[in-house]
Amino acid sequence: MSAKIAVRECDALACGFLCLQACPLGALLAVPRNHSRGGSAKPRGYGVAARFEGHCNACGLCIEACPQKAISIQG
Amino acid sequence: MCEFCSKYGHQNRWYLNPDNFSDKLLQDKARQKVLDQVAGWGVDYYIERNSRLAPLTKAPLVGGLVKAYVNRTTPAQHGGQILSLEDALRLVDIARDFVALPCMCRRLVGGRSDMTCLNFGPIKELTARYKPEEPMEELPPEEVKARLRRFDKMGYLHQVFYAKLPYPVVICNCDRKYCASLKFRLLYDVEKACLKGHEVCIVDQARCDGCSGKPECLRMCQFGALRWVPTDGTVVCEPRNCFGCGVCRPACPHGALHLLPRESLAPLRDVW
Protein backbone atom coordinates (compact mmCIF):
# COMPACT_ATOMS: atom_id res chain seq x y z
CA MET A 1 0.00 0.00 0.00
CA SER A 2 1.37 3.35 -0.97
CA ALA A 3 1.77 6.31 1.35
CA LYS A 4 -0.84 9.05 1.55
CA ILE A 5 0.56 12.44 0.63
CA ALA A 6 -1.45 15.40 1.90
CA VAL A 7 -0.87 18.70 0.09
CA ARG A 8 -2.40 21.86 1.53
CA GLU A 9 -3.57 24.52 -0.90
CA CYS A 10 -0.38 26.28 -2.01
CA ASP A 11 0.87 28.72 -4.60
CA ALA A 12 3.20 26.52 -6.60
CA LEU A 13 4.02 29.19 -9.18
CA ALA A 14 5.46 31.40 -6.43
CA CYS A 15 8.07 28.84 -5.31
CA GLY A 16 8.71 27.48 -8.81
CA PHE A 17 7.44 23.91 -8.25
CA LEU A 18 10.24 22.94 -5.86
CA CYS A 19 8.44 19.80 -4.65
CA LEU A 20 7.94 18.54 -8.20
CA GLN A 21 11.61 18.94 -8.93
CA ALA A 22 12.52 17.21 -5.68
CA CYS A 23 10.37 14.12 -6.29
CA PRO A 24 12.63 11.40 -7.75
CA LEU A 25 9.72 9.24 -8.89
CA GLY A 26 7.33 11.74 -10.42
CA ALA A 27 4.45 11.09 -8.02
CA LEU A 28 3.33 14.72 -7.82
CA LEU A 29 1.51 16.68 -10.52
CA ALA A 30 1.08 20.41 -11.05
CA VAL A 31 -2.67 21.03 -11.32
CA PRO A 32 -4.24 24.18 -12.78
CA ARG A 33 -6.63 26.13 -10.60
CA ASN A 34 -9.99 27.61 -11.56
CA HIS A 35 -11.13 24.86 -13.84
CA SER A 36 -12.54 26.45 -16.98
CA ARG A 37 -13.94 23.13 -18.30
CA GLY A 38 -10.85 22.33 -20.32
CA GLY A 39 -10.71 25.59 -22.26
CA SER A 40 -7.51 26.58 -24.00
CA ALA A 41 -7.07 29.79 -21.95
CA LYS A 42 -4.08 30.04 -19.63
CA PRO A 43 -4.83 28.86 -16.07
CA ARG A 44 -4.72 31.58 -13.43
CA GLY A 45 -2.62 29.61 -11.00
CA TYR A 46 -1.21 26.22 -10.19
CA GLY A 47 -1.37 24.02 -7.13
CA VAL A 48 0.24 20.65 -6.51
CA ALA A 49 -1.52 17.33 -5.98
CA ALA A 50 -0.26 13.81 -5.32
CA ARG A 51 -1.94 12.25 -8.34
CA PHE A 52 0.46 9.38 -8.98
CA GLU A 53 0.73 8.08 -5.45
CA GLY A 54 1.32 4.59 -6.72
CA HIS A 55 4.87 5.70 -7.51
CA CYS A 56 5.49 7.18 -4.03
CA ASN A 57 7.91 5.45 -1.67
CA ALA A 58 7.49 8.05 1.10
CA CYS A 59 11.09 9.23 0.95
CA GLY A 60 10.08 12.68 2.23
CA LEU A 61 12.14 14.79 -0.16
CA CYS A 62 9.07 16.84 -1.15
CA ILE A 63 8.40 17.72 2.50
CA GLU A 64 11.93 19.08 2.85
CA ALA A 65 11.69 20.98 -0.42
CA CYS A 66 8.43 22.81 0.33
CA PRO A 67 9.10 26.37 1.61
CA GLN A 68 5.44 26.74 2.64
CA LYS A 69 5.42 23.50 4.72
CA ALA A 70 2.34 22.44 2.79
CA ILE A 71 3.15 18.74 2.35
CA SER A 72 2.87 15.91 4.85
CA ILE A 73 2.93 12.14 4.49
CA GLN A 74 0.75 9.75 6.44
CA GLY A 75 1.13 6.01 6.77
CA MET B 1 -3.75 -6.88 -35.50
CA CYS B 2 -3.68 -3.60 -33.63
CA GLU B 3 -7.21 -2.36 -33.10
CA PHE B 4 -6.42 1.11 -34.39
CA CYS B 5 -4.81 -0.28 -37.55
CA SER B 6 -7.67 -2.64 -38.35
CA LYS B 7 -10.03 0.36 -38.28
CA TYR B 8 -7.86 3.10 -39.77
CA GLY B 9 -4.81 1.44 -41.28
CA HIS B 10 -6.01 0.20 -44.70
CA GLN B 11 -3.31 -2.52 -44.76
CA ASN B 12 -0.87 -0.10 -43.16
CA ARG B 13 -0.20 1.16 -39.67
CA TRP B 14 -2.68 3.86 -38.68
CA TYR B 15 0.02 6.48 -38.21
CA LEU B 16 1.62 5.65 -41.57
CA ASN B 17 -1.60 5.80 -43.59
CA PRO B 18 -1.48 9.11 -45.56
CA ASP B 19 -5.31 9.32 -45.50
CA ASN B 20 -5.17 9.93 -41.76
CA PHE B 21 -3.11 13.10 -42.22
CA SER B 22 -5.65 14.67 -44.56
CA ASP B 23 -6.81 18.20 -43.80
CA LYS B 24 -10.37 17.01 -44.46
CA LEU B 25 -10.31 15.41 -41.01
CA LEU B 26 -9.94 18.88 -39.52
CA GLN B 27 -13.54 19.67 -40.40
CA ASP B 28 -14.68 17.40 -37.57
CA LYS B 29 -15.93 19.69 -34.76
CA ALA B 30 -15.02 17.23 -32.02
CA ARG B 31 -11.49 16.92 -33.39
CA GLN B 32 -11.10 20.71 -33.53
CA LYS B 33 -12.04 20.85 -29.87
CA VAL B 34 -9.44 18.24 -28.95
CA LEU B 35 -6.80 20.05 -31.02
CA ASP B 36 -7.58 23.39 -29.33
CA GLN B 37 -7.26 21.67 -25.98
CA VAL B 38 -4.01 19.90 -26.82
CA ALA B 39 -2.31 22.91 -28.41
CA GLY B 40 -3.55 25.39 -25.79
CA TRP B 41 -3.41 25.24 -22.03
CA GLY B 42 -6.35 22.84 -22.04
CA VAL B 43 -3.94 19.91 -21.92
CA ASP B 44 -3.15 20.86 -18.31
CA TYR B 45 -6.82 20.44 -17.48
CA TYR B 46 -7.00 17.21 -19.49
CA ILE B 47 -4.16 15.62 -17.50
CA GLU B 48 -5.53 17.06 -14.24
CA ARG B 49 -9.02 15.64 -14.81
CA ASN B 50 -7.81 12.25 -15.95
CA SER B 51 -5.40 11.90 -13.04
CA ARG B 52 -8.20 12.83 -10.62
CA LEU B 53 -10.53 10.20 -12.08
CA ALA B 54 -7.94 7.48 -12.81
CA PRO B 55 -7.95 6.02 -9.25
CA LEU B 56 -11.63 5.14 -9.81
CA THR B 57 -10.45 2.38 -12.14
CA LYS B 58 -9.18 0.61 -9.04
CA ALA B 59 -12.40 1.07 -7.06
CA PRO B 60 -13.96 -2.17 -5.81
CA LEU B 61 -16.81 -3.59 -7.94
CA VAL B 62 -17.19 -0.62 -10.34
CA GLY B 63 -13.49 -0.26 -11.20
CA GLY B 64 -13.74 -2.60 -14.20
CA LEU B 65 -16.66 -0.62 -15.60
CA VAL B 66 -14.81 2.67 -15.20
CA LYS B 67 -11.77 1.22 -16.96
CA ALA B 68 -13.91 -0.06 -19.84
CA TYR B 69 -15.51 3.38 -20.13
CA VAL B 70 -12.14 5.16 -20.17
CA ASN B 71 -10.75 2.74 -22.76
CA ARG B 72 -13.83 3.36 -24.91
CA THR B 73 -13.75 7.15 -24.72
CA THR B 74 -9.99 7.85 -24.91
CA PRO B 75 -9.65 7.19 -28.68
CA ALA B 76 -12.04 10.11 -29.29
CA GLN B 77 -9.71 12.37 -27.28
CA HIS B 78 -5.94 12.28 -26.85
CA GLY B 79 -3.86 9.15 -26.44
CA GLY B 80 -0.82 7.51 -27.92
CA GLN B 81 1.04 4.46 -29.09
CA ILE B 82 4.70 3.54 -28.77
CA LEU B 83 6.55 3.34 -32.06
CA SER B 84 10.04 2.32 -33.12
CA LEU B 85 12.61 4.75 -34.53
CA GLU B 86 12.10 3.30 -38.03
CA ASP B 87 8.37 3.99 -37.95
CA ALA B 88 8.94 7.47 -36.54
CA LEU B 89 11.31 8.28 -39.41
CA ARG B 90 8.75 6.99 -41.92
CA LEU B 91 6.09 9.16 -40.29
CA VAL B 92 8.28 12.25 -40.73
CA ASP B 93 8.12 11.74 -44.52
CA ILE B 94 4.31 11.84 -44.47
CA ALA B 95 3.59 14.71 -42.09
CA ARG B 96 3.97 18.46 -42.70
CA ASP B 97 4.98 21.55 -40.70
CA PHE B 98 7.16 20.10 -37.97
CA VAL B 99 7.77 22.20 -34.87
CA ALA B 100 9.61 21.31 -31.67
CA LEU B 101 7.91 22.39 -28.44
CA PRO B 102 8.83 21.88 -24.78
CA CYS B 103 7.31 18.69 -23.34
CA MET B 104 4.17 19.52 -21.38
CA CYS B 105 4.11 16.40 -19.22
CA ARG B 106 7.60 17.29 -18.02
CA ARG B 107 6.49 20.78 -17.13
CA LEU B 108 3.65 19.36 -15.04
CA VAL B 109 5.68 16.63 -13.34
CA GLY B 110 8.67 18.85 -12.62
CA GLY B 111 11.22 17.95 -15.27
CA ARG B 112 13.64 20.05 -17.27
CA SER B 113 12.12 22.00 -20.10
CA ASP B 114 13.41 20.17 -23.20
CA MET B 115 12.27 20.59 -26.80
CA THR B 116 11.34 16.93 -27.14
CA CYS B 117 7.73 17.20 -28.37
CA LEU B 118 7.96 17.04 -32.16
CA ASN B 119 4.57 18.36 -33.27
CA PHE B 120 3.23 18.48 -36.81
CA GLY B 121 0.17 19.43 -38.82
CA PRO B 122 -2.07 22.17 -37.43
CA ILE B 123 -0.26 22.41 -34.07
CA LYS B 124 2.11 25.11 -35.34
CA GLU B 125 -0.71 27.61 -36.03
CA LEU B 126 -2.71 26.67 -32.96
CA THR B 127 0.27 27.06 -30.61
CA ALA B 128 1.04 30.47 -32.09
CA ARG B 129 -2.56 31.42 -31.35
CA TYR B 130 -2.95 30.01 -27.83
CA LYS B 131 0.59 30.10 -26.44
CA PRO B 132 2.37 32.97 -28.21
CA GLU B 133 5.08 33.11 -25.54
CA GLU B 134 5.93 29.38 -25.85
CA PRO B 135 9.41 28.74 -27.36
CA MET B 136 8.82 27.04 -30.71
CA GLU B 137 11.37 25.82 -33.26
CA GLU B 138 10.35 25.20 -36.85
CA LEU B 139 12.22 22.19 -38.16
CA PRO B 140 12.86 20.85 -41.67
CA PRO B 141 12.23 17.08 -42.00
CA GLU B 142 15.96 16.28 -42.06
CA GLU B 143 16.46 18.02 -38.72
CA VAL B 144 13.46 16.19 -37.23
CA LYS B 145 15.03 12.88 -38.27
CA ALA B 146 18.39 13.88 -36.83
CA ARG B 147 16.74 14.73 -33.52
CA LEU B 148 14.78 11.50 -33.45
CA ARG B 149 18.00 9.55 -33.95
CA ARG B 150 19.67 11.54 -31.18
CA PHE B 151 16.77 10.99 -28.77
CA ASP B 152 16.85 7.27 -29.60
CA LYS B 153 20.52 7.04 -28.60
CA MET B 154 19.74 8.96 -25.38
CA GLY B 155 17.10 6.36 -24.49
CA TYR B 156 13.99 8.49 -24.96
CA LEU B 157 11.21 6.28 -26.23
CA HIS B 158 9.03 7.53 -29.08
CA GLN B 159 5.31 7.75 -28.89
CA VAL B 160 2.84 8.98 -31.50
CA PHE B 161 -0.23 10.78 -30.17
CA TYR B 162 -3.53 11.37 -31.93
CA ALA B 163 -6.08 14.14 -31.55
CA LYS B 164 -9.22 12.04 -31.89
CA LEU B 165 -8.25 8.87 -33.71
CA PRO B 166 -6.99 8.51 -36.43
CA TYR B 167 -5.39 11.99 -36.74
CA PRO B 168 -1.73 11.94 -35.53
CA VAL B 169 -0.40 15.26 -34.21
CA VAL B 170 2.82 14.69 -32.31
CA ILE B 171 5.78 12.37 -31.79
CA CYS B 172 6.70 12.57 -28.09
CA ASN B 173 10.14 11.55 -26.88
CA CYS B 174 10.11 10.84 -23.21
CA ASP B 175 10.57 8.39 -20.40
CA ARG B 176 8.50 6.60 -17.84
CA LYS B 177 8.98 9.07 -15.02
CA TYR B 178 7.47 12.04 -16.82
CA CYS B 179 5.14 10.76 -19.51
CA ALA B 180 1.54 11.23 -18.36
CA SER B 181 0.08 8.65 -20.73
CA LEU B 182 2.60 6.01 -19.63
CA LYS B 183 1.70 6.73 -16.01
CA PHE B 184 -1.96 6.04 -16.74
CA ARG B 185 -1.01 2.84 -18.48
CA LEU B 186 1.44 1.55 -15.90
CA LEU B 187 -0.30 2.68 -12.70
CA TYR B 188 -3.91 2.16 -13.70
CA ASP B 189 -3.73 -0.32 -16.65
CA VAL B 190 -5.61 2.04 -18.96
CA GLU B 191 -4.47 0.41 -22.22
CA LYS B 192 -5.80 3.05 -24.57
CA ALA B 193 -3.81 5.83 -22.87
CA CYS B 194 -0.69 4.30 -24.40
CA LEU B 195 -0.86 1.24 -26.62
CA LYS B 196 2.19 -0.99 -26.96
CA GLY B 197 4.13 -0.79 -30.21
CA HIS B 198 3.82 -3.06 -33.22
CA GLU B 199 7.05 -4.88 -32.41
CA VAL B 200 8.59 -6.83 -29.57
CA CYS B 201 12.25 -6.98 -28.63
CA ILE B 202 14.01 -10.34 -28.89
CA VAL B 203 17.53 -11.04 -27.64
CA ASP B 204 19.60 -13.15 -30.02
CA GLN B 205 21.12 -15.54 -27.49
CA ALA B 206 23.86 -16.59 -29.93
CA ARG B 207 25.14 -13.02 -30.07
CA CYS B 208 24.60 -11.84 -26.50
CA ASP B 209 27.71 -12.39 -24.41
CA GLY B 210 26.49 -10.39 -21.40
CA CYS B 211 29.17 -7.69 -21.93
CA SER B 212 31.31 -9.22 -19.11
CA GLY B 213 28.57 -8.55 -16.60
CA LYS B 214 28.02 -4.92 -17.54
CA PRO B 215 25.24 -4.92 -20.13
CA GLU B 216 24.42 -1.39 -21.31
CA CYS B 217 21.04 -2.41 -22.73
CA LEU B 218 19.51 -2.90 -19.27
CA ARG B 219 20.12 0.78 -18.61
CA MET B 220 18.00 1.78 -21.61
CA CYS B 221 14.85 -0.27 -20.96
CA GLN B 222 12.11 1.84 -19.32
CA PHE B 223 9.83 -1.10 -18.65
CA GLY B 224 12.05 -3.62 -16.92
CA ALA B 225 11.60 -5.98 -19.85
CA LEU B 226 15.30 -6.74 -20.22
CA ARG B 227 16.63 -8.89 -17.43
CA TRP B 228 20.07 -10.14 -16.46
CA VAL B 229 20.33 -13.91 -16.02
CA PRO B 230 23.24 -14.49 -13.62
CA THR B 231 23.40 -18.23 -14.30
CA ASP B 232 23.95 -17.81 -18.04
CA GLY B 233 25.67 -14.43 -17.85
CA THR B 234 23.38 -13.09 -20.60
CA VAL B 235 20.36 -10.87 -21.03
CA VAL B 236 16.81 -11.99 -21.82
CA CYS B 237 13.76 -10.00 -22.79
CA GLU B 238 10.52 -10.57 -20.92
CA PRO B 239 8.22 -10.13 -23.90
CA ARG B 240 5.08 -9.40 -21.89
CA ASN B 241 6.71 -6.36 -20.33
CA CYS B 242 8.20 -5.14 -23.61
CA PHE B 243 6.49 -2.16 -25.21
CA GLY B 244 8.49 -2.44 -28.43
CA CYS B 245 10.09 1.00 -28.36
CA GLY B 246 13.45 -0.37 -29.50
CA VAL B 247 15.63 2.16 -27.67
CA CYS B 248 17.66 -0.72 -26.20
CA ARG B 249 19.09 -1.59 -29.63
CA PRO B 250 21.73 1.14 -30.03
CA ALA B 251 23.19 0.19 -26.64
CA CYS B 252 24.13 -3.32 -27.80
CA PRO B 253 27.68 -3.51 -29.22
CA HIS B 254 27.00 -6.98 -30.72
CA GLY B 255 23.72 -6.23 -32.51
CA ALA B 256 21.98 -8.91 -30.45
CA LEU B 257 18.73 -6.99 -29.88
CA HIS B 258 16.09 -7.14 -32.61
CA LEU B 259 12.51 -6.04 -33.00
CA LEU B 260 10.13 -8.68 -34.33
CA PRO B 261 6.58 -7.91 -35.47
CA ARG B 262 4.12 -8.62 -32.67
CA GLU B 263 1.85 -10.44 -35.12
CA SER B 264 4.54 -13.05 -35.80
CA LEU B 265 4.56 -14.14 -32.14
CA ALA B 266 1.43 -16.10 -31.29
CA PRO B 267 1.25 -15.46 -27.51
CA LEU B 268 1.72 -11.70 -27.98
CA ARG B 269 -0.53 -11.17 -30.97
CA ASP B 270 -3.35 -9.78 -28.86
CA VAL B 271 -1.30 -8.07 -26.15
CA TRP B 272 -1.43 -4.34 -26.81
Side-chain angles (χ1 to χ4, degrees):
Chain A
M1 196 60 210
S2 59
K4 197 95 197 122
I5 315 171
V7 187
R8 252 195 309 118
E9 188 85 342
C10 70
D11 188 358
L13 273 182
C15 77
F17 301 103
L18 288 175
C19 55
L20 293 186
Q21 286 160 28
C23 179
L25 294 158
L28 298 166
L29 180 75
V31 293
R33 292 236 193 83
N34 305 318
H35 215 296
S36 67
R37 294 179 64 80
S40 30
K42 192 170 182 170
R44 268 164 276 170
Y46 282 90
V48 170
R51 288 294 165 75
F52 304 111
E53 267 175 342
H55 286 322
C56 176
N57 62 3
C59 66
L61 287 171
C62 53
I63 304 177
E64 285 171 34
C66 182
Q68 303 170 35
K69 300 272 174 273
I71 304 177
S72 57
I73 295 184
Q74 288 124 31
Chain B
M1 196 176 189
C2 156
E3 193 188 319
F4 293 174
C5 296
S6 57
K7 272 191 204 155
Y8 302 107
H10 299 292
Q11 268 86 55
N12 209 337
R13 293 180 181 171
W14 66 271
Y15 48 79
L16 296 179
N17 177 5
D19 297 347
N20 296 338
F21 292 78
S22 157
D23 284 343
K24 272 192 209 136
L25 292 169
L26 282 172
Q27 287 160 8
D28 186 334
K29 282 268 163 18
R31 179 167 293 119
Q32 279 174 12
K33 211 176 145 199
V34 176
L35 277 166
D36 285 351
Q37 199 176 27
V38 171
W41 294 94
V43 71
D44 294 19
Y45 295 113
Y46 184 65
I47 295 175
E48 192 275 338
R49 188 198 64 194
N50 289 356
S51 67
R52 184 156 34 86
L53 301 178
L56 290 178
T57 58
K58 292 205 167 173
L61 300 173
V62 292
L65 283 175
V66 177
K67 199 184 288 176
Y69 175 78
V70 175
N71 276 328
R72 222 185 127 90
T73 52
T74 303
Q77 299 177 52
H78 192 50
Q81 182 168 30
I82 302 269
L83 78 174
S84 63
L85 177 67
E86 290 85 343
D87 276 4
L89 296 176
R90 263 176 236 141
L91 196 158
V92 174
D93 290 328
I94 308 172
R96 63 172 170 99
D97 287 348
F98 268 92
V99 285
L101 288 167
C103 173
M104 38 203 135
C105 301
R106 270 184 224 195
R107 182 164 54 79
L108 293 172
V109 186
R112 264 199 335 264
S113 173
D114 281 340
M115 307 291 269
T116 52
C117 266
L118 303 172
N119 294 257
F120 45 88
I123 298 289
K124 182 171 125 186
E125 297 145 39
L126 291 171
T127 304
R129 191 191 308 165
Y130 292 117
K131 293 179 168 175
E133 71 277 27
E134 191 88 331
M136 182 162 74
E137 283 177 63
E138 287 183 38
L139 302 176
E142 282 318 306
E143 172 63 16
V144 178
K145 288 183 183 177
R147 287 198 189 191
L148 280 169
R149 289 198 184 96
R150 199 174 76 223
F151 292 147
D152 202 70
K153 285 215 180 76
M154 287 161 74
Y156 289 170
L157 51 95
H158 322 288
Q159 211 177 141
V160 55
F161 279 84
Y162 50 80
K164 190 179 175 190
L165 211 67
Y167 191 73
V169 286
V170 53
I171 305 176
C172 264
N173 298 278
C174 206
D175 60 49
R176 182 179 173 162
K177 177 180 169 186
Y178 294 111
C179 180
S181 80
L182 271 179
K183 279 171 182 286
F184 290 125
R185 167 89 200 222
L186 295 164
L187 272 181
Y188 301 109
D189 303 327
V190 179
E191 290 95 6
K192 291 288 158 57
C194 168
L195 277 191
K196 291 185 178 185
H198 287 83
E199 284 108 2
V200 180
C201 175
I202 299 291
V203 183
D204 184 346
Q205 294 295 328
R207 286 193 176 181
C208 178
D209 69 355
C211 293
S212 331
K214 289 185 181 158
E216 279 288 299
C217 52
L218 292 191
R219 192 165 63 84
M220 304 301 262
C221 185
Q222 291 289 317
F223 303 99
L226 292 179
R227 205 152 37 83
W228 174 249
V229 185
T231 316
D232 302 340
T234 57
V235 171
V236 288
C237 177
E238 195 108 344
R240 290 198 171 262
N241 291 352
C242 179
F243 274 60
C245 61
V247 294
C248 49
R249 291 173 296 165
C252 180
H254 311 295
L257 299 163
H258 301 287
L259 289 183
L260 287 185
R262 196 171 281 273
E263 262 101 57
S264 67
L265 304 157
L268 302 169
R269 203 168 283 159
D270 299 315
V271 182
W272 290 95

